Amino acid sequence: MATVHNWQLGRDMEYPYEGARPEKQFCMIMDTNKCIACQSCTIACKSTWTWGKGQEYMLWNNIETKPFGFYPTGWDVNVLDLLAEQSWNGGTYEGKTLFEAAPTGEKVLGWTPDEEDWNHPNLGEDEPTGDAETVPYLAENPHSMMWMYYLQRICNHCTYPACVAACPRDAIYKRPEDGIVLVDQERCRGYQECLTACPYKKTMFNLETRVSEKCIGCYPKVEQGLQTQCTTACIGRLRLTNFLSHPDEVDPRKPADYLVHVKKLALPLYPQLGLEPNVYYVPPVHVPVDYLTQMFGPGVEQAIETYRGAKDDPELLGLLMLFGSTERIIDTFDVKKGVARGYDENGKEIVAVPLREPTFVRPFEFVSEVKGEQVTGYRHNT
Amino acid sequence: MSEETTITRRDALLAAGTLAAVGAAGVGAAGVIGLVGTPEPPGEPHLTAPFATGGVPLDDPAADAWNAAPESVIPVQAQNVAPPMLPTAGLLELRARALHDGDALAFRLQWDDEDVDDLDAVHRFHDAVAVMLPTSPGPPPAITMGARGTPTHILQWRATWERDLTGKTGVDQVYPRVVHDVMPDDVLPPETAKLYWVGRAVGNPLSAETRETPIEQIVAEGYGTTTHLPRTDASGHGVHNGSSWTVALGLPTNREGIGAPLEPGSIWSVAFAVWLGNQQNRGGRKHYANWVKLTLAPRE
């Protein structure tokens, strides 16, 4: 076992391989507040990559309702149950990671889904919590009313993947150029150890080819400077494909660095598991903080406050408006004089988005000439 | 242990205990290879392959020729040397016979398994058995499928590959009432449609659409290094009778390009592994037998 540093946990931890960070790390930012679960992202991914035979049940991207929705059933509550209660001390995680809590003879603490668990992605969809008999539907305190929200999930292309750790054949690897994690289709022998190990359950077995597959981070697009299919298809414009730097090398002009390291608005998913996942979420502002802290770590309250203040923060607001504005990956951005701009790696402008659309209100009453006579007209701005 | 010609279960289990104790060092009690005339320690499992003048029945586990081959009971144990491990054994023994004729060496292997597991699916695994041979005579390599520099040569029979020979196997067989909407090969030219079976497109042997033999030939230099050999000269056939599998499998003895030939009159080490699909055995989660002495009778 090697010792590696996990910045999300604020400490070193054990991992079966030596730590090696990629040149740049593929990441995705999700603004959960904007999601309506239209599943356009899911359809985009499925119709691109997983519409083949043997892949019928696979959802490399899925949207599930929280708290009662899962794909596969119980994926997060089961692994949290296994790990049992752990604790944070401020920004430092004092509990065990899945590697540190691995049972003797195993590399990762994990549970194995049954076949049936993959068959009900809509279970719990649109189901809020709260007992309708006792919880007021409209309440003064939003945290006492019934709530639910949508969680968007892809492979997190973790810095310390559990799938990589569990594979006995080194058939899963993390690309050094962009940190995308892939299953080597030639090397895999279908042992499905990765299916047990990945806590997010994003490696999946292909019933026809008898080897396992996973989200590929749309690497053919990323290699061309384009955002992923799920990002591009999102009609809520809530996703951003980007590259995240290590906290010691932050560049505030880079969108992911700005949102994750500078504003601390976007948080990792279940960081306590210890994988250093690279999909970051703006937490839903209406959900109880206790629930969110278990899911996104200790920075939730501050992130919600930052988000609520975005209307008075033109730089943050401008960046959020760049989401969904271009299919190309934005390397740097700036917001000047009410316009947010995204630039490519050469500094060339890709896209410009005004923070306010220019508006012109036509007057209600106006005068014009008809057959030589002055006529007053009334215009309804409908 | 008493001197008996048949090995009792108690003796086999005691032998397994002894072998397990020295197994980690890679040289079992059966490691006295090449020393012709050394008496066998009593009670240790060993396998004798008579010379079969009428040819070896590579593809027929029920052939009469097998009656001439003495059966050895080989104890197996759960793999717990390296992860992923098998926590509990579901099998205690494998019954083995061997025959050779100067051109081919064949084994007939039988083990108890009530279920036929011949389709792979999510968390569903298949039945299999494997024979492991060193690539050169002398003390055998580490039992952990060899080590760097000391390779092993493995033949693996799989129930899924056996079933593949009888027709299509895949989603439609795992879920007979499945309904597909539109599949790539419904709307795309074959070469493009093939890209959606990625394992198949890159030539992964597990994903092959057609198969010629249910036996995979493998070379390995330790756990995690299984390497497929693109050869089809090993063959075999497995049959299930409701309570056990019986598998005949064999290979040409010249082993050209892989290892030293398996000559009549020579003594080798051989090891075995069994996977029970209904107990989620796969890969390192297997039952294995330690090295056993294999004597190839002289040519008649």
Side-chain angles (χ1 to χ4, degrees):
Chain A
M1 288 291 254
T3 303
V4 297
H5 186 70
N6 183 325
W7 68 262
Q8 293 175 2
L9 301 184
R11 67 170 175 80
D12 290 345
M13 62 170 217
E14 287 178 12
Y15 187 68
Y17 294 104
E18 297 290 333
R21 291 186 182 269
E23 283 167 37
K24 52 185 181 181
Q25 173 61 55
F26 167 92
C27 76
M28 198 170 290
I29 315 286
M30 314 280 206
D31 183 352
T32 61
N33 295 284
K34 298 195 172 95
C35 184
I36 60 169
C38 69
Q39 308 283 357
S40 296
C41 50
T42 308
I43 299 299
C45 176
K46 195 122 191 54
S47 58
T48 306
W49 303 118
T50 60
W51 61 290
K53 213 161 174 188
Q55 301 177 310
E56 290 82 353
Y57 75 98
M58 295 187 190
L59 297 174
W60 292 357
N61 173 92
N62 78 284
I63 309 291
E64 58 200 55
T65 303
K66 284 313 200 195
F68 290 136
F70 314 91
Y71 169 80
T73 306
W75 71 270
D76 53 352
V77 292
N78 287 345
V79 76
L80 291 174
D81 212 19
L82 272 180
L83 194 53
E85 196 173 318
Q86 306 286 340
S87 57
W88 289 83
N89 182 359
T92 305
Y93 180 59
E94 290 192 328
K96 288 189 191 257
T97 65
L98 294 182
F99 306 108
E100 290 156 356
T104 319
E106 302 288 343
K107 297 272 181 71
V108 184
L109 176 66
W111 70 282
T112 310
D114 288 331
E115 274 181 89
E116 193 66 18
D117 289 331
W118 297 93
N119 294 344
H120 307 287
N122 294 110
L123 207 65
E125 191 162 44
D126 294 349
E127 282 185 35
T129 62
D131 181 348
E133 302 288 311
T134 58
V135 174
Y137 185 70
L138 290 171
E140 283 176 16
N141 180 349
H143 285 203
S144 66
M145 63 188 269
M146 290 191 287
W147 62 270
M148 46 153 253
Y149 78 99
Y150 301 118
L151 183 66
Q152 312 75 29
R153 304 211 301 116
I154 62 170
C155 164
N156 296 305
H157 296 279
C158 304
T159 303
Y160 303 117
C163 57
V164 169
C167 181
R169 288 179 50 72
D170 298 339
I172 309 188
Y173 63 102
K174 191 171 166 71
R175 291 171 21 134
E177 63 266 40
D178 54 19
I180 289 176
V181 179
L182 298 174
V183 179
D184 185 333
Q185 293 297 294
E186 223 179 327
R187 200 167 166 77
C188 177
R189 284 178 72 85
Y191 298 150
Q192 301 185 40
E193 297 294 333
C194 53
L195 268 76
T196 300
C198 176
Y200 305 101
K201 300 296 175 231
K202 284 297 183 182
T203 56
M204 302 173 194
F205 183 72
N206 186 315
L207 273 65
E208 290 269 311
T209 61
R210 298 176 178 152
V211 294
S212 295
E213 302 176 350
K214 62 182 289 297
C215 159
I216 58 172
C218 281
Y219 72 83
K221 289 189 82 179
V222 168
E223 284 171 0
Q224 297 176 62
L226 298 174
Q227 304 198 54
T228 66
Q229 289 292 72
C230 53
T231 301
T232 309
C234 177
I235 62 172
R237 297 170 55 156
L238 68 96
R239 296 180 181 228
L240 190 77
T241 300
N242 213 255
F243 295 105
L244 184 70
S245 312
H246 189 267
D248 295 341
E249 291 154 15
V250 172
D251 180 351
R253 298 170 308 156
K254 291 185 186 292
D257 284 3
Y258 182 80
L259 292 170
V260 174
H261 293 312
V262 176
K263 294 306 248 188
K264 303 198 195 306
L265 175 67
L267 307 171
L269 181 61
Y270 293 120
Q272 64 270 39
L273 303 179
L275 283 63
E276 212 186 272
N278 287 303
V279 174
Y280 296 88
Y281 296 83
V282 179
V285 299
H286 64 292
V287 173
V289 167
D290 280 347
Y291 182 91
L292 294 177
T293 302
Q294 180 175 252
M295 189 172 275
F296 301 115
V300 166
E301 273 192 274
Q302 194 237 306
I304 291 177
E305 209 184 304
T306 303
Y307 192 72
R308 287 199 185 279
K311 59 180 168 46
D312 301 318
D313 185 343
E315 196 177 30
L316 175 58
L317 187 61
L319 175 54
L320 292 174
M321 293 180 68
L322 285 173
F323 283 39
S325 64
T326 170
E327 190 167 8
R328 297 174 61 186
I329 295 175
I330 295 172
D331 182 58
T332 55
F333 82 103
D334 62 25
V335 182
K336 288 189 298 219
K337 294 190 190 156
V339 178
R341 289 186 169 81
Y343 305 92
D344 66 14
E345 281 178 333
N346 300 318
K348 199 154 166 284
E349 183 181 305
I350 302 175
V351 66
V353 177
L355 264 65
R356 285 196 176 278
E357 289 294 336
T359 53
F360 177 74
V361 178
R362 298 176 297 176
F364 176 61
E365 189 177 313
F366 65 96
V367 175
S368 67
E369 195 176 295
V370 178
K371 291 184 181 161
E373 281 190 34
Q374 296 286 324
V375 176
T376 303
Y378 301 93
R379 181 189 289 114
H380 298 268
N381 283 314
T382 50
Chain B
M1 288 181 252
S2 54
E3 283 204 35
E4 294 175 348
T5 49
T6 49
I7 300 168
T8 65
R9 176 177 283 266
R10 179 174 169 277
D11 291 333
L13 288 172
L14 284 168
T18 310
L19 287 170
V22 299
V27 181
V32 281
I33 304 307
L35 299 176
V36 178
T38 308
E40 300 165 14
E44 297 287 353
H46 63 278
L47 196 52
T48 304
F51 189 91
T53 44
V56 296
L58 282 171
D59 298 334
D60 186 3
D64 290 336
W66 290 111
N67 296 333
E71 183 167 275
S72 297
V73 175
I74 314 282
V76 296
Q77 57 190 305
Q79 192 285 109
N80 59 6
V81 173
M85 299 181 187
L86 188 60
T88 319
L91 190 69
L92 284 174
E93 67 185 36
L94 171 73
R95 298 177 287 281
R97 298 173 192 242
L99 282 174
H100 75 112
D101 67 358
D103 289 320
L105 165 64
F107 298 87
R108 177 184 179 274
L109 307 171
Q110 190 182 70
W111 70 98
D112 296 331
D113 182 357
E114 285 181 0
D115 301 320
V116 170
D117 294 281
D118 58 4
L119 286 173
D120 286 335
V122 178
H123 204 55
R124 265 204 248 174
F125 304 98
H126 52 265
D127 300 325
V129 67
V131 175
M132 178 162 76
L133 293 161
T135 53
S136 52
I143 192 59
T144 54
M145 292 166 59
R148 186 171 293 201
T150 52
T152 53
H153 178 204
I154 295 164
L155 306 178
Q156 188 186 43
W157 171 91
R158 284 205 188 85
T160 38
W161 287 29
E162 182 82 47
R163 183 163 175 170
D164 289 347
L165 297 174
T166 65
K168 196 158 182 340
T169 54
V171 182
D172 296 311
Q173 285 66 44
V174 178
Y175 303 113
R177 283 181 284 203
V178 71
V179 172
H180 300 286
D181 200 354
V182 173
M183 289 289 113
D185 52 355
D186 294 331
V187 295
L188 295 172
E191 279 312 297
T192 318
K194 188 180 173 188
L195 298 175
Y196 286 91
W197 286 271
V198 187
R200 197 169 287 169
V202 300
N204 191 316
L206 272 62
S207 316
E209 204 168 357
T210 54
R211 226 171 265 299
E212 286 170 44
T213 167
I215 309 297
E216 185 179 15
Q217 278 200 71
I218 286 159
V219 119
E221 285 189 325
Y223 283 164
T225 65
T226 296
T227 305
H228 172 79
L229 288 173
R231 298 165 72 118
T232 52
D233 53 359
S235 60
H237 180 51
V239 168
H240 193 264
N241 70 357
S243 60
S244 62
W245 277 108
T246 308
V247 173
L249 72 155
L251 74 167
T253 48
N254 66 20
R255 297 211 294 172
E256 210 173 307
I258 302 175
L262 305 158
E263 305 275 26
S266 62
I267 298 176
W268 290 85
S269 296
V270 66
F272 303 94
V274 179
W275 291 260
L276 303 176
N278 61 13
Q279 294 185 20
Q280 291 77 50
N281 290 181
R282 74 280 193 185
R285 300 188 195 270
K286 63 188 177 187
H287 303 82
Y288 77 104
N290 216 322
W291 292 110
V292 157
K293 185 162 116 180
L294 168 68
T295 305
L296 302 180
R299 184 182 291 274
E300 282 172 18

